[in-house]
Structures are given as C-alpha cells and as structure tokens.
C-alpha cells in the first residue's frame, strides 16, 4: 500500500495527465471517499483507508504549511509541484502546477479539496477557446475599446476566468497598463499587475478597486462584482476612461442587467458605461470515435467524452438597448430587442454543436436547463 507521499505524487501525476481540476477527499465511517473532477463532472476513485488518509493529509498539510494538529476548524493553504513535459522540438521543459488546499471539519474527519491550477489548462489563447467566429471577433473588438464595462457571467466552473485571462493576453504589450484584482490569483501572467484581495486586512474588491484607480490603469479586471459599492465603482471607472472587465453570477447574459439594477446602481451611469455581456457554460465534447453520424454512444460513460468546449451568448449593447436600460425595461423586453439585433442564446448556439456532433443532447440539457 502506498504511503502518503507516494499516494500524493501518484494522484498528482494522474490528474495532470488526465486534465483533472480538483481532488476531493471525504472521510466516512469505515473508509475515505476519493473523487476527482474531470471535464466538470465528479468521478469516484477507489476509496482509501483512514490510516492512509491520515498519512496523506500529513503530507498535504506539511507542503501547504497548514497546522498538522488542527482538525476542528477550516484551513486554507497552497503549494506547488513541478512536472517534466516534452516540447514540440523533442526536448523537455518543467511546468509548475499550483495546488490550492481547503479543509473542512466533518463527521468522520477533515474533508479536503485540492484544486490543481495548471497553466496549460488555464492559459489558453482566445482563438483556441472554441468560440464561434462571430463571437470571437466581437470579443476581440470589445477588449480593444478604450473604455467601458464588459461583464462575463456564469456559475462557478463555467470558464469565466479562463476567458478573461485569454482576453487580457491579447492586449499585453499594446502600451496599456493592465491591473487585476482577484480572489484568488489563479495563474500568473507576465506583463500585467495582479493583486489579490485580503478581506482580513480590509482589502476587498471595493477598496482594492479604489486603490487601483490611483495607479493610472488603462484596463482593470475585477474578479467578481459582489456588492453595490464594487458595482458602482466599476461603472464609474468605465465612464472615466478605463476599460473594466468583471464577472458576475447570473444564469444568462441579459439577467446581469436587472441584477445590477436591483443592487442599486444608477441606470444613468450604468447604461452609458456598458459595452457587452458574455455568458457561458462548458460542455463535454464527444471523443473522436463517436463523432461520426449515427455512431451510438453512452452519455453516462465518461469515456464517451474527450474534453470540453464553451457554449456562449454575447449581449452587445447598442443605442436601443441602452435607452431600455435607462428606462429600466424588464429582461423580456431587452431579450426581444436583442433578438431583433441578432442575439442568440446559449441554447441556440448549443444546438449547432449538437448537430455537428461536437457535444451531445444530454450535455446541452445538463448545462442549459
């Protein structure tokens, strides 16, 4: 049986090779459940004994500088490990993986989540994210605007951060001062300033954003809009010569507008500042063996899928929609006008992916219901 250090190394190697994003451990009465998140779905591995788990946790806590003797309160930490990989030229290079650790007291011991932040998965060029050409071109236009507010919405795990990082990479080196405010910083990007919020020291999204504005930025990334103060400060910054990118948790692009208005932002500043809203989901893609038309597949079998791609919807703000935001029209009216202007929902974009056998009907239903 593998010891804690050997088990951790084995898990790390397996997860990097497969593209796993998270490792979950859940102690139960007689054993410890071990699960991984692959392509957004949770898959079970073989359970381990409590003795093995204790050994594993000892190693994880040592690496991430957590207190070994504390098990009754949550702890957070991180560590890194390196892997060797082959280059296109036939040589080798080292890649560093960052692991974020979170523990939580539970009935039979500490539940632990290890999040693997692999730059190979998180730092993807915009053209390789899989956006339809029409949306890719509009996103490229938005990020090059001199000012305004662009929102990216979706639930946790929908790829918002990856999309924003990809957008920022397209403008690095274009004589623009780019500053981010994140919780946490997931991947390091050369050529920009990245800052991480620290609520324990009153460095929040709202206070951090006000500080950033004193550093003459051209482009600002706000990791998440959570309250009125952050929302209104971001809007005011967009009106005063800054391009502001931010994320928000809503189910669709259009829903972001009533959400911010309900927070209390001024429609008279929000309407003229808003440039576009992107909503997105990630769906698993069919493996090559199942892409041929009429080839049967089992949607419940993980081997049916080989990766993930994005299903987007992009809500561009024109004069008519801007006036509707000013008069605080309901989302249904906004949707009607946007549709007249060519707006397509995630569901509509997804139908095309199903027809092309890129993904499955079951996957589309899973993420757009």
């Amino acid at each position: 049986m593998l010891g804690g250090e050997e088990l951790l190394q084995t898990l790390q190697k397996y997860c990097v090779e497969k593209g796993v994003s998270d490792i979950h451990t859940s102690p139960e009465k007689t054993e410890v459940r071990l699960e991984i998140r692959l392509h957004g779905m949770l898959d079970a591995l073989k359970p381990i004994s409590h003795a093995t788990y204790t050994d594993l946790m000892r190693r994880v806590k040592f690496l991430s500088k957590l207190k070994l003797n504390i098990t009754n309160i949550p702890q957070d930490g991180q560590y890194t490990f390196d892997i060797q990989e082959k280059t296109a030229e036939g040589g080798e290079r080292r890649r560093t993986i960052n692991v974020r650790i979170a523990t939580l007291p539970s009935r039979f011991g500490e539940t632990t989540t290890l999040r693997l932040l692999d730059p190979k998965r998180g730092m993807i060029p915009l053209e390789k994210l899989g956006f339809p050409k029409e949306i890719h071109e509009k996103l490229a236009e938005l990020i090059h605007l001199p000012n305004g507010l662009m929102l990216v919405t979706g639930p946790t795990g929908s790829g918002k951060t990856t999309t924003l990082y990809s957008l920022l990479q397209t403008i690095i080196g274009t004589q623009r001062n780019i500053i981010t405010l994140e919780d946490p910083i997931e991947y390091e990007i050369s050529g920009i300033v990245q800052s991480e919020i620290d609520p324990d020291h009153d460095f929040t999204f709202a206070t951090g954003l006000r500080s950033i504005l004193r550093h003459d930025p051209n482009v600002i990334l706000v990791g998440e809009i959570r309250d009125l103060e952050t929302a209104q400060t971001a809007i005011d910054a967009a009106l005063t010569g800054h391009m502001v990118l931010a994320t928000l948790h809503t189910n669709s692009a259009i829903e972001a507008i009533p959400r911010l208005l309900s927070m209390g932002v001024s429609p008279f500043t929000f309407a003229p500042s808003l440039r576009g809203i992107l909503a997105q989901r990630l769906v698993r893609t069919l493996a090559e063996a199942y892409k041929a038309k009429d080839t049967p597949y089992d949607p419940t079998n993980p081997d049916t899928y080989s990766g993930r791609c994005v299903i987007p919807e992009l809500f561009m703000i024109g004069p008519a929609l801007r006036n509707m935001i000013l008069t605080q029209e309901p989302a249904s009216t906004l949707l009607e006008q946007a549709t007249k202007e060519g707006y397509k929902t995630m569901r509509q974009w997804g139908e095309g992916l199903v027809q092309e056998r890129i993904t499955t009907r079951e996957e589309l239903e899973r993420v757009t219901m």
Side-chain angles (χ1 to χ4, degrees), residues 254-304:
I254 289 176
E255 285 178 38
I257 294 172
R259 171 68 61 82
L260 286 171
L261 290 172
S262 69
M263 280 185 182
V265 301
S266 165
F268 302 103
T269 54
F270 181 38
S273 70
L274 188 61
R275 299 289 181 263
I277 308 170
L278 173 72
Q280 64 180 63
R281 299 288 190 279
L282 294 176
V283 290
R284 291 180 293 176
T285 53
L286 277 169
E288 201 63 40
Y290 303 102
K291 286 187 176 180
K293 190 176 181 180
D294 299 326
T295 302
Y297 60 83
D298 178 5
T300 64
N301 184 352
D303 292 336
T304 298

Side-chain angles (χ1 to χ4, degrees), residues 26-33 47-50:
S26 305
E28 296 181 339
K29 191 171 185 178
T30 60
E31 59 189 11
V32 178
R33 195 167 71 247
I48 59 177
S49 69
H50 278 273

Side-chain angles (χ1 to χ4, degrees), residues 17 52 81 88 90 100 102 124 127 130 154 242 252 256 281 284 303:
E17 289 175 351
T52 300
F81 67 91
R100 302 272 175 156
I124 304 173
E127 63 274 11
H242 309 88
S252 69
R281 299 288 190 279
R284 291 180 293 176
D303 292 336

